[in-house]
Amino acid sequence: MTVTSEVKVLKNYINGEWVETSGTDMLEIRNPANTDELVVKVQQSNAEDAQAAIEAAEKAFPEWSKTPSPARGEYLFKIAAIMEAEADEIARIIVQEEGKTYADAFKEVNYAAGIVKFYAGEGRRMTGRIVESDMPGVQIELHKEALGVVLVVTPWNFPLSIPAWKIAPAILSGNTVVLKASSETPLTAQKFIEIVERAGVPAGVVNQLVGPGRLVTDMINHPAVKAITFTGSNRVGNLIYKEAAKDMKRVLLEMGGKNPLLVMEDADVDAAVQLAVAGGYGQTGQACTATSRVLVHKDIRQEFTDKLVEASKKIKIGNGMDEGVTMGPQVSDGERQSTLDLIKKAKAEGGEILTGGGIPEFDGSDKGYFVEPTVIGGVKTEMTIAQEEVFGPVISIIEIESIDEAIEVANDVAFGLSAAICTRNLTYMNRALNEIQAGIVKVNMTTTGTFFQAPFGGYKQSSTGTYKELGSEAVDFYCQNKTRYINSN
């Protein structure tokens, strides 16, 4: 029986008002842990709606860009305060439409609030500098200016924190924004925009469009859009990059990962297993920094494997709101099928399914998009499962014989987002930190998780690489630098 009580139909937020969408296609969002539960209906927007959102942002830009950055930061402080006060409600929305556990969702809300507070504080640290001149009486000033309208395109896997870490530095820097969030998690995006409205952010500064991804191309080509920031798949990211390049528009892309955890012969095996479990199964493996490959030294490979299989079997799968559940479903049937297909291909190419590998059986499991926590042994670097991003709860084990081989295998993929090493050996630590080709390298930590005061971004096909997200460095993407010469003679 379908649950339909109090189902919302979402609207766009344009120029400070909630307005009906103009499209005719209707999208239904269902709880991925119980597809009988209808969460929200989305009547899709069309090109006219997208045009209106961009025009509202364009109109608001001149006044907003003149607002002092400390005053812009005050709005962010208000947004963060509301997020923290309503963390439970927001977390429940995330669980309901995305499927992650309540603990993970609640953590995301507070992480997102921390991001917003960090950039609120940056409002009082927006500085230029003076450069010494060759001529007396001439002053040279380096000054940051906002770009204009920024198109923000975000994914479903972190439906609150990723919009927050893009929008906060964008508007703090004086830009105005149009958010096109994932169609999989529109209710979380709307909740965030409702908070922006309640915080008193002026009309047109932040606009939200609920609609399909096909609208993005025309939005990129709108002359008022000066920059595009996107997190998602490499396929879509490459399309965005090519489209934006036609007018040489600024682009920031954060895309896939194939993140290795190196477990050396001197590692604490029990600790390494816990890091692999947290990195591989946290968020149901649906994170770009998820631990997808574990490169284990041959001397401890069997012990590590046995303990990882044992720990994987203890994962409790189910609805993220149920007590004791430690892993929820995948977000959609398409994502689940993609994971199952890669598992099947790994087996066909010679991998051994040591645990999991299919759809779990428990009361209600047939109503959700569940996949068993899966460990695959005997993986070789040339296998598909060792090269392609899975984006599901799958850990591949690759045996290595030395730190040289570990680093070589770690780098033998198209991606370079995150990596970690488990070791007590300082030489191993330093070699990993210096030689692994990834934007983030950690020692005795998970491949997942970032601190918002530090920059985030990858190498190779994981990122455009020119700019970073998070940290003070993120502001650089949203600003252009002007050199001002002043002759006072």
Side-chain angles (χ1 to χ4, degrees):
M1 179 178 177
T2 300
V3 180
T4 58
S5 59
E6 299 182 11
V7 173
K8 286 187 176 182
V9 177
L10 299 187
K11 297 180 179 180
N12 290 328
Y13 185 70
I14 298 175
N15 199 31
E17 296 182 356
W18 294 98
V19 295
E20 300 282 353
T21 61
S22 303
T24 56
D25 294 342
M26 183 69 76
L27 179 68
E28 292 185 347
I29 303 299
R30 294 183 178 273
N31 187 332
N34 177 14
T35 55
D36 281 347
E37 181 184 344
L38 179 59
V39 177
V40 70
K41 291 184 177 181
V42 181
Q43 184 171 318
Q44 300 280 47
S45 297
N46 62 16
E48 292 179 4
D49 297 322
Q51 177 90 5
I54 295 171
E55 289 176 354
E58 182 181 23
K59 182 179 178 182
F61 173 70
E63 189 65 28
W64 181 247
S65 63
K66 294 174 186 175
T67 303
S69 59
R72 297 193 292 255
E74 288 301 316
Y75 289 107
L76 294 178
F77 277 123
K78 293 176 183 177
I79 292 170
I82 298 172
M83 291 170 71
E84 289 175 331
E86 300 180 6
D88 175 71
E89 177 189 351
I90 303 168
R92 290 174 182 273
I93 292 172
I94 293 173
V95 174
Q96 188 181 34
E97 69 173 357
E98 197 273 347
K100 64 182 66 179
T101 65
Y102 177 82
D104 281 341
F106 192 81
K107 182 179 178 181
E108 179 178 353
V109 177
N110 284 289
Y111 179 72
I115 291 168
V116 176
K117 283 195 290 187
F118 175 80
Y119 288 111
E122 286 293 287
R124 295 191 180 277
R125 294 187 289 270
M126 294 282 288
T127 59
R129 63 189 178 95
I130 303 296
V131 176
E132 288 296 319
S133 170
D134 291 352
M135 300 168 56
V138 174
Q139 179 171 295
I140 306 173
E141 300 176 347
L142 304 187
H143 180 70
K144 292 183 181 295
E145 293 184 345
L147 300 171
V149 178
V150 176
L151 174 59
V152 175
V153 185
T154 59
W156 49 262
N157 59 328
F158 291 95
L160 183 69
S161 58
I162 292 181
W165 85 33
K166 293 177 183 292
I167 292 174
I171 65 173
L172 185 277
S173 303
N175 302 282
T176 54
V177 164
V178 177
L179 170 65
K180 213 306 284 181
S182 170
S183 295
E184 300 280 3
T185 51
L187 194 55
T188 305
Q190 176 173 292
K191 179 62 180 177
F192 178 57
I193 299 302
E194 287 174 356
I195 292 171
V196 169
E197 179 187 34
R198 288 161 56 196
V201 175
V205 172
V206 178
N207 306 272
Q208 183 206 1
L209 192 73
V210 292
R214 63 176 178 269
L215 297 177
V216 170
T217 297
D218 286 343
M219 296 173 76
I220 292 171
N221 291 321
H222 193 290
V225 172
K226 304 303 180 185
I228 304 95
T229 175
F230 167 81
T231 297
S233 71
N234 285 75
R235 182 185 67 82
V236 176
N238 283 321
L239 292 173
I240 288 174
Y241 198 65
K242 290 175 182 177
E243 200 64 37
K246 293 176 181 178
D247 292 316
M248 294 186 290
K249 292 187 177 182
R250 187 174 296 197
V251 179
L252 174 58
L253 304 177
E254 291 299 340
M255 300 173 289
K258 193 64 183 172
N259 314 294
L261 174 67
L262 285 57
V263 183
M264 303 310 297
E265 72 273 15
D266 67 322
D268 180 327
V269 174
D270 292 329
V273 168
Q274 290 307 307
L275 292 177
V277 168
Y281 303 143
Q283 317 288 338
T284 318
Q286 297 176 131
C288 55
T289 54
T291 304
S292 187
R293 301 176 292 155
V294 183
L295 284 45
V296 190
H297 194 278
K298 63 182 180 65
D299 290 353
I300 59 169
R301 194 264 307 162
Q302 191 62 55
E303 179 187 3
F304 175 89
T305 300
D306 291 344
K307 290 183 175 182
L308 177 60
V309 168
E310 181 183 358
S312 299
K313 291 178 179 178
K314 294 178 180 177
I315 297 290
K316 184 175 180 181
I317 311 167
N319 189 312
M321 291 303 302
D322 291 347
E323 188 173 351
V325 167
T326 53
M327 194 181 84
Q330 296 211 240
V331 74
S332 67
D333 185 53
E335 288 294 331
R336 177 176 65 174
Q337 193 56 53
S338 174
T339 298
L340 294 173
D341 287 347
L342 282 167
I343 294 171
K344 183 178 179 180
K345 193 167 188 177
K347 187 176 180 180
E349 292 179 355
E352 181 183 1
I353 310 303
L354 302 176
T355 188
I359 297 172
E361 293 184 7
F362 58 87
D363 187 24
S365 64
D366 60 324
K367 300 293 185 182
Y369 306 124
F370 298 101
V371 175
E372 294 174 309
T374 300
V375 178
I376 304 177
V379 174
K380 306 298 181 183
T381 57
E382 64 270 14
M383 292 182 181
T384 304
I385 198 73
Q387 295 292 324
E388 293 186 9
E389 186 174 39
V390 180
F391 230 64
V394 180
I395 298 173
S396 298
I397 296 178
I398 301 174
E399 183 177 293
I400 49 92
E401 296 187 0
S402 65
I403 187 65
D404 290 333
E405 185 182 8
I407 292 172
E408 180 181 357
V409 172
N411 290 336
D412 188 25
V413 291
F415 304 103
L417 185 54
S418 179
I421 184 170
C422 296
T423 183
R424 301 182 183 92
N425 185 306
L426 286 174
T427 298
Y428 290 173
M429 291 181 193
N430 287 323
R431 289 200 60 191
L433 291 168
N434 291 325
E435 296 177 34
I436 291 178
Q437 298 164 3
I440 298 170
V441 182
K442 301 179 180 181
V443 176
N444 297 321
M445 298 176 71
T446 63
T447 61
T448 53
T450 56
F451 297 150
F452 49 73
Q453 66 269 36
F456 172 85
Y459 289 5
K460 300 191 282 189
Q461 291 298 308
S462 290
S463 172
T464 39
T466 308
Y467 296 96
K468 293 285 189 178
E469 298 200 280
L470 299 180
S472 300
E473 289 80 359
V475 173
D476 292 340
F477 175 74
Y478 300 100
C479 294
Q480 53 193 343
N481 295 304
K482 177 178 286 185
T483 304
R484 308 192 300 197
Y485 287 76
I486 305 167
N487 187 345
S488 60
N489 293 318

